[in-house]
Amino acid sequence: MLTWCFLMAPALAFSAPYAGLVMDARSGEILHSENAETPLHPASLTKMMTLYIAFEAVQHGEISMDDYVTVSRNAAAEPPSKLGLRQGQKIKLRYLVRAAAIKSANDAATAIGEHIAGSESSFAARMTRTAKALGMKRTTFKNANGLTQSGHLSTAHDMALLGRHMVYDYPQYYNLFSRITEDAGLRQVSNTNRRFLGAYQGADGIKTGYTNAAGFNLVASAKRGNERIITVVFGGRSTASRNAKVAELMDLGFKRAKTNVAMRKPGLPPYLGNRGLGNVMIAESANPDPEGARGKTIRVVAAAPTRSLRPLARAGAKGSDVAPLVASVKGDIETVLAAVQTAEVKAVSEVAALDVASAGDAPDASIKPMRRPADLAGVQLASVRGAVLTDAAPTPEQEVVTRLSTSGGHHWGINVGRYPNKFEAEKVLLKTSLMESSTLDGSLRKVVGRGGGYDANFIGLTRETADLACRRLQARQVMCFMMGPS
């Protein structure tokens, strides 16, 4: 028994560093700060970022709340707190979101990250990138759940910023954090923050966190009237003492907050999806790969490659292969023109035959010629003029424009790739316009010849429409980048 006491004494004596911050959520004004810029272990406060990215991905069509997520061995092996997922199990994303937000389930958080980015390490890189975009300058994430890991750190100030974005950026999901219990698919789960939610007037979130290294953490939000306060505490000694400290700081915040403050919601960060994560990045303009992912090329950016990673060229990428395609297109055009000319000659012949037939069989019969069609001379004259113009000066090759624009003074555009021939570029433009008709309707589809191929462009857009179209296409894994006025 004495040995047990000796071994346990260091753990009991350990105390995680304290940090606290109070913010007026309406304006972002800091009302109180103590040790708030010191990087510390955030524990399960991390799951706020995991959920923020999940909401972002759903908003942009990258994933759906009704997606079935296949649980990996890595996710199933996470330690408690957990939902109890099994390797290979399939479960809807919405249940994982509920489990991570309400029960703070580590296995659910890992499964969410792997579903979005393919691996937990890639998702952690996306978490850190998103944190920087939100202004969280001293935050680095290494996993999706907040379990203690070297380099996985944040600050009270950064977590307050994340909490503010959680409140205002995705209000349709924010109510999750105030639910006391919820169905998580496998079972009913209870909120780890239910004591504070039930004890403090106006409290409606957000997230608890605990590990040995972090202590008892909490990012809390409460609203009274038109005032909303966000309070962050790191390093609490117990759930009860942490909640008491948060309540004390909340009271301080409501006391110091001004009654009438103009609402200044934080701006949304740029949406980049999974681009540029891990060991690969997607180039903004390249030839299509053999599998049909037009406009993308995968380039290793870690170690120098020992062999060429350029994808195989499509049929028609070499000059010798383009010639038959061009000849085929020209042949189709010549066939159509020949058919039109044949029809004209046939019409003239039929009119002449009618004249002869009207004279009768007897050579001495009185012949009264019929009136020729009024427009026949015009048809012949147009035909003759066309022949003369063709012989005199061949019509120069025109830039291919596949659709007229009604965009008026709109001067922005988007590019959806460079292709080896006009036919491919036109086909991609048509397919893209049908895919994204809501934003590209009224734009001008334009193929522009360049030194390395043919650019497929949509022009005649406003900047806002071009940006929206690109973001929506990128969510469908279609390469796209904006072109400003030149």
Side-chain angles (χ1 to χ4, degrees), residues 179-198:
R179 299 180 190 179
I180 302 301
T181 61
E182 184 55 272
D183 175 22
L186 302 185
R187 57 194 175 92
Q188 201 81 3
V189 293
S190 298
N191 199 316
T192 58
N193 195 32
R194 58 188 179 276
R195 293 182 184 176
F196 184 78
L197 291 171

Side-chain angles (χ1 to χ4, degrees), residues 23-29 164 168 261-264:
M23 174 186 288
D24 187 331
R26 299 167 297 175
S27 63
E29 180 185 0
R164 185 168 183 249
Y168 292 116
V261 173
M263 175 68 71
R264 295 196 300 271

Side-chain angles (χ1 to χ4, degrees), residues 247-415:
E248 175 189 333
L249 293 178
M250 277 285 187
D251 290 341
L252 175 68
F254 281 113
K255 182 179 179 180
R256 292 184 179 179
K258 299 173 184 176
T259 303
N260 297 314
V261 173
M263 175 68 71
R264 295 196 300 271
K265 294 182 181 180
L268 285 168
Y271 172 70
L272 298 175
N274 289 324
R275 288 188 298 164
L277 300 181
N279 293 326
V280 298
M281 62 182 294
I282 297 175
E284 289 188 339
S285 178
N287 288 333
D289 66 34
E291 301 302 323
R294 293 183 179 85
K296 294 181 181 177
T297 202
I298 304 302
R299 182 168 72 248
V300 174
V301 297
T306 58
R307 59 187 178 84
S308 172
L309 299 178
R310 183 179 296 278
L312 297 174
R314 284 180 179 273
K318 297 181 179 178
S320 59
D321 295 330
V322 174
L325 178 60
V326 174
S328 174
V329 174
K330 288 184 177 178
D332 292 341
I333 296 174
E334 291 171 357
T335 301
V336 174
L337 291 175
V340 173
Q341 292 171 354
T342 301
E344 290 180 354
V345 172
K346 184 178 179 181
V348 173
S349 300
E350 289 176 352
V351 172
L354 288 173
D355 291 343
V356 174
S358 65
D361 295 330
D364 59 346
S366 176
I367 298 174
K368 184 177 181 180
M370 294 180 65
R371 184 182 298 274
R372 287 181 180 272
D375 61 337
L376 181 59
V379 171
Q380 291 174 319
L381 182 59
S383 177
V384 172
R385 284 178 176 172
V388 172
L389 290 174
T390 301
D391 294 338
T395 303
E397 183 179 359
Q398 300 294 315
E399 186 178 68
V400 178
V401 177
T402 60
R403 185 173 181 181
L404 294 177
S405 172
T406 58
S407 58
H410 300 183
H411 304 298
W412 284 77
I414 63 173
N415 174 279

Side-chain angles (χ1 to χ4, degrees), residues 403-408 410 412 414 429-445 457-462 465-466 468-470 472-473:
R403 185 173 181 181
L404 294 177
S405 172
T406 58
S407 58
H410 300 183
W412 284 77
I414 63 173
L429 284 172
L430 178 59
K431 180 180 178 180
T432 306
S433 65
L434 294 174
M435 180 192 304
E436 191 49 42
S437 59
S438 61
T439 53
L440 296 177
D441 185 41
S443 65
L444 180 141
R445 300 199 299 268
N457 300 332
F458 289 89
I459 63 174
L461 300 167
T462 65
T465 304
L468 177 60
C470 260
R472 289 171 65 95
L473 289 171

